[in-house]
Amino acid sequence: MTKIPKYKYPHTSHRKLRWVPLLLLLTIGMTFLTFPFFGAAADTISQSVDFSDPDGIDVLIPAGELLTELLGDIPPAEVDYLNIHSSYVFYTSEIPANRMTARVTEDGIIVSANDYTYTTDDGVTVTWMPLFAENLSSFSELYFLFYDESLDLFQATLPGKSGDQINVYYTASFTLPEEFVVGLINEGPLAAADLLVAAEAYEEELAIFTEQKELYEAYVAAHKAWQANTKAYEAYVIAKAAYDAWWADHDLKKAAMDAYLEKKAAYDAWIKYQQDLEDYEAYLELVYASPELKAEYMEKMDAVQSHLAVMDRMFIRSSTGHSFKSVLTGGAADLVINNQFSLKNIDGVNPADVDLAVKSTWTLRHLIQGNDTYPGYENQKTEADKYHYYIAYRGVFLENIANLYHSMSALSSIEYVMKQIDENNGRDVFVQFLGTLYLQMCLMDDTQDFDPQTSLHGVTVDELLESHLMLPDENHAEPLTEYPQPPTTSDDVTPVPHPGYPPAEAPHPGEAPEAVPDESQAPTCPEEVFPAGNEPEAVPAPGEAPQDPKDNMLPEELALLSYAQSQGLPMRSAQDLPTGHVCTLSLTRRIKAGTGRVFMVTVMDYLGQPDYTDYLYFGDSPDILTPPSVAPHDPHMVFAGWSLTPVETMWGS
């Protein structure tokens, strides 16, 4: 027998196979199973097992079907793979034609066949035994060939006529070598193992490639960010140096800008007043018939505006955000009101000053904001209403402003009181409030002149109050009893309001100074957003992605790989076979009825002398011959039968 190498893929022999009308039967124990076989192309992949003589006929068996019959339950993916990629060739014997005859008789066609035995090169004896005969021309029934011991032949009588096609079925049984079986049952696992190795190698290469790719992409992103951050930081350094140089004289620039804006505000107010006054005078030209009436009206309105300006300054805020009203309704005033009882017990404090300060504060609050007694200056809607309110309560205002100024001045001379004010961070505001009270008192009292050099806690009033809070003390006579009414005008003349109290004449402020640096304009260091750090360490590019072996796999290979990955396909051994590995082959030989081997028979008499000559087919019985004409003359002797003596001829005995 031929030794079977253990190949992963049984791709070892490329043999051109002939089309053969064969039927293979595999025997596992006592079970016979039938396969149909077909001719194979020249590139059919196979393993050869030589169970024949040199003149044998090739039988091709797909490995998947062969394995299924050996093991039974085989994964479909393995069967499909083996059927496509692997086949086995069994070399069966060419049964000699002279082993069969088909003789036509009155009873039908007598089919005779001999068995055929040979020994393979590796010592396996193979005997082909005739089993059935079949008339293909007329009938499809199989006839069992019975052994005739006297003729040493297998015979069967079939219905038919001369020229019919007769098939004779032979079978041979022998044991497959274990090495061959082990190779067969492990073809699938070995192929799956190779596919798994390729797939696992790809997964490992892909994992390495993916990891390297991710590292490289992270490096590229980090390097781009580092480059951008480096450029941003360099730009920041330049911008920061310029900003620092700009900020170096920030205080001087701010002082210059504040002075400029103050001058500009005064100048803009003066210009606006001049324009408003011009419009107002033009309006009066239209409504007054004589210059005298116009001058009289303007004089009255100037007096009104002067008094209202004194009232309105109570609401003008300083650069620190404080006004006469805001301090009156909170801060130092509240400090006195809230602590009035404890203040009276302090050494040096006159309780009358505390009571006067509290009373004056509440009265002024009510005069400005309104209560059940006073309507409130803030609640007057028109200029005329405000002026009439001023006329009605001017004396009350003046009295309480003077009382508050004197009482607060007296209290602030007590060290403990000023300490309490200091603890509330209100000294500067309080002293400025005293200055405002003093100015307001002088402006409303036509009998008292304002002295800007009056000192309050070491600071003159002129130094305490900003220019926009100052008003000239004109010491007007008593105010008008009624608000001047403008003359009635026609509907086509639009009234123009009085421009108000004239501001101080102010010169042009000149060119604006350099802008004051603003912290919001400071450049932002990129490290606050993304740390610049050092340049990222270079990472090599991953190269080309590995080739997925599945891209080049055939469908049956993909199916086998998928099954092996999910279910596994381990190696097998001969012990996995149910009962052994016996193989039975069947062979069909075809002959024509009325043909066969013909023998020339010479009939000899009892003396051994030739009597006559006749012809017999292979398988005919000698009993059909006529006994010899020359017989012994002994009446006690009868013809008992024939004695066959082989005769050597040119065709053999």
Side-chain angles (χ1 to χ4, degrees):
M1 297 183 182
T2 303
K3 184 177 182 180
I4 306 300
K6 295 182 179 179
Y7 297 124
K8 295 177 182 177
Y9 298 92
H11 297 179
T12 57
S13 174
H14 297 266
R15 178 179 175 89
K16 187 169 183 178
L17 305 179
R18 301 186 301 274
W19 175 273
V20 291
L22 298 180
L23 189 68
L24 176 66
L25 295 175
L26 284 179
T27 303
I28 306 298
M30 295 303 294
T31 303
F32 290 85
L33 302 165
T34 303
F35 294 89
F37 295 100
F38 308 93
D43 59 352
T44 298
I45 297 167
S46 62
Q47 293 277 42
S48 300
V49 182
D50 189 358
F51 293 145
S52 69
D53 57 18
D55 296 326
I57 298 174
D58 299 345
V59 178
L60 176 66
I61 306 175
E65 297 183 10
L66 182 59
L67 184 62
T68 301
E69 297 308 325
L70 284 174
L71 296 181
D73 187 16
I74 302 299
E78 184 180 6
V79 173
D80 293 342
Y81 174 84
L82 293 177
N83 281 343
I84 295 173
H85 287 266
S86 180
S87 299
Y88 286 88
V89 174
F90 290 85
Y91 297 110
T92 62
S93 177
E94 182 79 59
I95 306 297
N98 58 15
R99 297 281 172 174
M100 298 172 290
T101 61
R103 181 162 54 89
V104 180
T105 67
E106 292 180 357
D107 296 329
I109 302 173
I110 299 175
V111 178
S112 302
N114 291 109
D115 57 2
Y116 176 54
T117 301
Y118 61 89
T119 302
T120 66
D121 294 339
D122 47 8
V124 177
T125 299
V126 181
T127 298
W128 288 91
M129 301 294 294
L131 288 181
F132 303 102
E134 179 185 17
N135 188 336
L136 297 180
S137 301
S138 303
F139 303 92
S140 60
E141 184 178 357
L142 291 177
Y143 288 82
F144 187 76
L145 290 168
F146 294 94
Y147 177 66
D148 189 331
E149 185 177 359
S150 64
L151 298 177
D152 192 22
L153 289 173
F154 293 85
Q155 285 190 332
T157 301
L158 281 66
K161 62 184 183 301
S162 178
D164 286 351
Q165 297 292 323
I166 305 299
N167 272 357
V168 178
Y169 296 94
Y170 280 79
T171 183
S173 180
F174 49 89
T175 300
L176 293 173
E178 182 173 336
E179 188 175 8
F180 167 81
V181 174
V182 172
L184 171 64
I185 63 179
N186 285 315
E187 282 187 32
L190 287 172
D194 268 8
L195 295 174
L196 285 171
V197 168
E200 290 171 358
Y202 165 73
E203 293 298 332
E204 292 177 1
E205 293 175 7
L206 181 62
I208 294 173
F209 170 81
T210 302
E211 181 181 6
Q212 185 64 23
K213 181 182 178 184
E214 291 175 352
L215 291 174
Y216 178 72
E217 290 176 347
Y219 158 72
V220 170
H223 193 266
K224 287 182 178 178
W226 176 83
Q227 286 180 321
N229 187 258
T230 299
K231 292 181 180 179
Y233 186 75
E234 291 172 352
Y236 162 76
V237 170
I238 296 173
K240 183 67 166 58
Y243 177 79
D244 290 344
W246 185 37
W247 185 269
D249 54 354
H250 169 271
D251 294 342
L252 295 176
K253 291 175 181 176
K254 186 177 187 307
M257 180 60 72
D258 290 345
Y260 167 78
L261 292 177
E262 185 176 354
K263 292 178 181 179
K264 185 176 185 301
Y267 175 75
D268 291 343
W270 170 251
I271 295 299
K272 184 178 185 304
Y273 175 80
Q274 295 298 320
Q275 183 62 51
D276 292 346
L277 180 60
E278 184 178 338
D279 294 341
Y280 182 69
E281 290 179 345
Y283 160 70
L284 294 180
E285 289 286 346
L286 294 175
V287 299
Y288 279 103
S290 67
E292 291 79 9
L293 292 176
K294 171 187 172 185
E296 181 184 353
Y297 177 76
M298 289 189 65
E299 183 180 355
K300 292 179 181 180
M301 286 304 298
D302 287 344
V304 169
Q305 296 302 324
S306 177
H307 293 303
L308 291 180
V310 173
M311 294 297 291
D312 291 339
R313 74 169 300 281
M314 292 189 298
F315 304 96
I316 300 176
R317 292 184 179 273
S318 67
S319 59
T320 59
H322 299 284
S323 67
F324 176 89
K325 180 202 169 184
S326 68
V327 178
L328 181 70
T329 55
D334 273 347
L335 183 63
V336 174
I337 292 174
N338 296 334
N339 297 280
Q340 55 182 303
F341 300 106
S342 61
L343 285 174
K344 293 178 181 180
N345 297 322
I346 297 173
D347 291 339
V349 173
N350 184 353
D353 290 332
V354 176
D355 292 338
L356 185 61
V358 172
K359 179 181 178 183
S360 300
T361 299
W362 280 115
T363 302
L364 288 171
R365 287 181 180 181
H366 296 154
L367 283 168
I368 294 173
Q369 296 175 324
N371 69 349
D372 293 340
T373 305
Y374 306 107
Y377 183 79
E378 283 183 329
N379 300 326
Q380 307 308 306
K381 304 299 183 183
T382 65
E383 187 177 272
D385 292 339
K386 289 182 178 181
Y387 186 69
H388 291 148
Y389 188 86
Y390 168 75
I391 294 172
Y393 298 104
R394 175 172 176 258
V396 183
F397 266 111
L398 178 56
E399 178 185 0
N400 284 277
I401 289 174
N403 289 339
L404 184 58
Y405 170 71
H406 293 299
S407 60
M408 282 292 194
S409 296
L411 290 173
S412 67
S413 65
I414 307 302
E415 182 179 355
Y416 177 83
V417 175
M418 290 307 297
K419 183 178 179 181
Q420 294 299 312
I421 293 175
D422 283 339
E423 289 179 357
N424 288 274
N425 298 319
R427 173 180 283 267
D428 292 341
V429 176
F430 176 75
V431 175
Q432 191 179 58
F433 178 58
L434 285 180
T436 301
L437 282 172
Y438 172 71
L439 175 60
Q440 195 73 17
M441 179 182 65
C442 294
L443 292 176
M444 298 186 75
D445 185 357
D446 290 336
T447 65
Q448 184 176 355
D449 293 329
F450 170 69
D451 182 4
Q453 298 303 311
T454 300
S455 179
L456 300 173
H457 293 275
V459 184
T460 64
V461 176
D462 189 42
E463 294 172 331
L464 283 173
L465 302 181
E466 298 172 76
S467 61
H468 70 283
L469 299 176
M470 302 290 282
L471 283 177
D473 182 12
E474 300 179 350
N475 285 327
H476 287 288
E478 290 295 323
L480 304 175
T481 57
E482 292 291 337
Y483 183 82
Q485 294 295 325
T488 304
T489 61
S490 59
D491 294 337
D492 58 346
V493 177
T494 302
V496 176
H498 191 281
Y501 189 79
E505 184 175 355
H508 192 283
E511 294 295 328
E514 185 179 357
V516 179
D518 186 350
E519 290 184 355
S520 64
Q521 296 172 308
T524 302
C525 178
E527 290 182 347
E528 296 177 1
V529 180
F530 178 85
N534 297 323
E535 181 176 3
E537 183 178 353
V539 175
E544 295 294 330
Q547 176 68 37
D548 190 346
K550 293 181 183 178
D551 295 341
N552 297 321
M553 288 184 186
L554 299 173
E556 64 275 8
E557 292 175 323
L558 291 172
L560 182 63
L561 173 61
S562 176
Y563 179 85
Q565 288 175 330
S566 61
Q567 305 295 327
L569 194 60
M571 295 289 288
R572 305 181 180 102
S573 66
Q575 285 72 27
D576 296 326
L577 296 173
T579 57
H581 32 274
V582 176
C583 180
T584 299
L585 296 178
S586 294
L587 174 67
T588 302
R589 294 291 291 147
R590 181 172 298 174
I591 59 175
K592 184 180 292 186
T595 63
R597 186 177 177 184
V598 179
F599 298 89
M600 184 179 67
V601 180
T602 300
V603 179
M604 311 293 285
D605 60 19
Y606 71 97
L607 297 176
Q609 299 299 317
D611 186 37
Y612 66 91
T613 300
D614 201 349
Y615 295 89
L616 293 178
Y617 284 101
F618 175 79
D620 285 349
S621 173
D623 293 339
I624 68 174
L625 295 176
T626 303
S629 57
V630 180
H633 297 286
D634 187 341
H636 298 289
M637 296 182 67
V638 296
F639 182 73
W642 300 99
S643 175
L644 302 179
T645 302
V647 178
E648 291 293 332
T649 68
M650 60 180 298
W651 297 284
S653 60

